[in-house]
Amino acid sequence: MARETTRRSKGRRSPWAAAALIGIGLLITGGVYAGASAAMAATTPETTKSALTAEDGKKLFQANCATCHGLDVQGTPDGPSLYGVGELAVHFQMSTGRMPLQMQGPQAPQKPVQFTEDQIGAIGEYIQSIAPGPTFPDDEVLDGEGSAAEGGELFRINCAMCHNVAGAGGALTEGKYAPNLHTTTPLNMYAAMVTGPQNMPVFNDMTLTTEEKRDIITYLLYLQDNESAGGFSLGSLGPVSEGLFIWIFGIGSLIAITVWITAKSN
C-alpha cells in the first residue's frame, strides 16, 4: 500500500502545470497571430486602403457636424457658417480635436481626435466642393528648410505678443488663451496663419508672403527640436515663472539660512 501511495504522489502533476501550459499556449498563439498580421500588412498594397470620397464626407458631416453648422453649412445659432473656410480649416479644427466641440466656451480646447485622417480628409473635401476656401500648401512650405533667423524675427513681430517668444502660449482676455506651439505640426502652423482660427488674425499673402510663412514654420520647428540653451526653461514663460522660482527658492533659501544661523547662535 505504501509503494502504491508513493507512485501515485510522484505521478501527480503540480497545480501550476495547467496554468503554465495555458500561458505558453497563449504566448505562442499571440506570437503567430502578430507575425501573420505584420506579414499581411507588409504585403497588402496601398491601393487596398479605404479611400473616402466627398459623398462619404457629406454623410459624416450630416451625422456629426450639421447640428451646429447646419445641413447646408450655412450655420446655426450654435455654430458659424462654413462658407469660405475651405478644407484647410476643416483639417486644422478636426485634426487637433477642437471639433466636434465638446461644449460652448470662450474657445474650443484641443482634445483627443475623434476621426481618422481619411474621415477628416473626406469631410474637408466635401466642404471644399460646396464652399471653396484655403487649401493645402506645397510640401516645400512645410519642409522646415526656410530661414529660422528670418522666421524668428517675423514671429517676434507678429505672433510673440500672444504666443510668447518661445511659442509657449499665453493668456488672453475673457478666459481665452494662445495655445502652446511646441507640438503643433507644420501643416497646422500654416493652417492657423491662413485661416485665423478663433482669436487668431488671418495672415494673408499681403501680410505675410508664403516664403515668410515658411520661415516662421522653420523657426517654430527649430524651437521644437532644440532644448533651452539656458538650462531649465521653466515653461518658457519669461519673468513670470522666473520671478516665481527666485521668490520661492531664492528668498526661501535666504530665510532658511537666516533661521538656521539664528538657531545656532542661540
Side-chain angles (χ1 to χ4, degrees):
M1 290 291 294
R3 289 182 180 179
E4 289 181 4
T5 304
T6 304
R7 287 175 184 174
R8 287 177 185 176
S9 63
K10 288 182 179 180
R12 186 179 298 167
R13 292 183 179 178
S14 168
W16 297 103
L21 288 173
I22 292 173
I24 293 171
L26 289 174
L27 286 174
I28 294 173
T29 304
V32 171
Y33 176 78
S37 299
M40 290 178 65
T43 56
T44 301
E46 294 188 359
T47 54
T48 61
K49 292 182 180 179
S50 60
L52 301 180
T53 64
E55 186 62 29
D56 297 316
K58 179 180 180 179
K59 295 175 182 177
L60 287 166
F61 178 88
Q62 291 175 343
N64 299 279
C65 315
T67 303
C68 294
H69 295 290
L71 285 172
D72 296 322
V73 305
Q74 77 277 12
T76 71
D78 295 322
S81 167
L82 299 183
Y83 283 104
V85 302
E87 59 185 347
L88 192 58
V90 173
H91 180 273
F92 176 87
Q93 296 289 352
M94 299 189 72
S95 69
T96 58
R98 290 178 167 88
M99 292 292 155
L101 190 64
Q102 190 171 24
M103 66 178 67
Q104 296 291 342
Q107 70 182 63
Q110 189 167 348
K111 59 184 187 299
V113 183
Q114 303 295 310
F115 297 88
T116 66
E117 282 293 326
D118 285 344
Q119 291 172 330
I120 294 171
I123 296 174
E125 187 178 350
Y126 166 65
I127 296 299
Q128 187 74 8
S129 68
I130 62 172
T135 187
F136 298 102
D138 296 333
D139 292 339
E140 182 183 5
V141 180
L142 312 176
D143 61 7
E145 298 297 327
S147 171
E150 291 292 335
E153 184 67 20
L154 290 166
F155 184 85
R156 287 187 287 274
I157 293 172
N158 296 280
C159 318
M161 67 284 294
C162 294
H163 288 285
N164 179 289
V165 176
L172 302 176
T173 59
E174 300 177 352
K176 302 172 184 177
Y177 57 91
N180 186 312
L181 302 177
H182 291 168
T183 57
T184 306
T185 64
L187 178 57
N188 282 336
M189 294 174 192
Y190 178 86
M193 288 187 276
V194 172
T195 64
Q198 301 180 108
N199 306 295
M200 186 167 172
V202 175
F203 293 95
N204 57 33
D205 288 342
M206 295 184 66
T207 307
L208 289 174
T209 65
T210 302
E211 187 61 32
E212 288 174 332
K213 292 184 180 72
R214 183 192 185 198
D215 291 340
I216 291 176
I217 292 171
T218 301
Y219 170 69
L220 291 174
L221 291 177
Y222 173 83
L223 291 181
Q224 291 181 1
D225 294 336
N226 292 272
E227 297 180 359
S228 174
F232 291 115
S233 65
L234 299 178
S236 298
L237 297 178
V240 176
S241 56
E242 293 167 3
L244 184 63
F245 182 86
I246 292 172
W247 179 264
I248 293 176
F249 293 97
I251 297 180
S253 299
L254 291 176
I255 293 174
I257 293 172
T258 302
V259 172
W260 180 78
I261 293 175
T262 304
K264 291 289 289 185
S265 62
N266 291 336

